[in-house]
Every structure is written in C-alpha cells, then in structure tokens.
Amino acid sequence: MTAAGTFTAQMASHRETGQWRLYVVIFGASEWPTYDFDGPGVPTVQERSRALAALGYVFTDGPGWEWTEDVTPDDDPAAPVVLIAFTSVREGAP
C-alpha cells in the first residue's frame, strides 16, 4: 500500500519485442500514464527519471527501483524470465 498522494511506477519489457514500457499505476483510472522506451536494452536510471518527469512524476524516496520476476504465461520453466521493476512516485516537479 502506498501513502496518500503516492503511486507505484512499474517498468516491464514486452514479452516478444523486448521493448521496455514504464507506467504509473492509478487504480480506478481508465488509462495509466505510460512511456515507451526505444530499443530492447534496459533503460538507465537517468532514462527512467526523464521518462517519469515527462509523465509529470518524481521519485518519493530516490531513484532506486526494486525488481521481481513475473511468471511466464503457461508457467513454462523453459521460457525466458520476465522482469518487472517498481518504485514509489508522486506527482510534481523534483
């Protein structure tokens, strides 16, 4: 659970293309703010910070991200691991 006025930003790569997308989870919203990165490489911390700023958000506790593994669609142990990063953000300027 996040504190009032804070949201969770997540970042994951597309399972087929490898392109990374950052999005801010806003429960109850019909669409979430999203930012698509160019190329399949993992975006740097600076690139993620710029993407959040472009969406109108800033980190609440510094630019650190936590990472977790996602299960594969059919729980296939031979399938590539999908990583999801997340951090706490708030609206506003740094």
Side-chain angles (χ1 to χ4, degrees):
M1 174 165 268
T2 57
T6 63
F7 303 92
T8 299
Q10 295 183 330
M11 188 178 71
S13 66
H14 188 275
R15 291 183 191 274
E16 294 175 13
T17 66
Q19 183 178 5
W20 286 87
R21 170 176 279 183
L22 183 148
Y23 48 95
V24 178
V25 179
I26 302 174
F27 293 108
S30 60
E31 291 186 30
W32 294 346
T34 61
Y35 183 95
D36 291 320
F37 294 95
D38 293 328
V42 178
T44 66
V45 173
Q46 292 84 3
E47 290 170 326
R48 294 178 229 163
S49 295
R50 286 191 296 267
L52 282 170
L55 295 174
Y57 293 87
V58 296
F59 295 103
T60 58
D61 297 319
W65 291 75
E66 295 186 47
W67 293 84
T68 187
E69 291 184 12
D70 190 13
V71 295
T72 58
D74 297 320
D75 290 328
D76 178 3
V81 173
V82 176
L83 295 174
I84 299 174
F86 58 95
T87 191
S88 182
V89 298
R90 64 173 170 78
E91 291 182 298

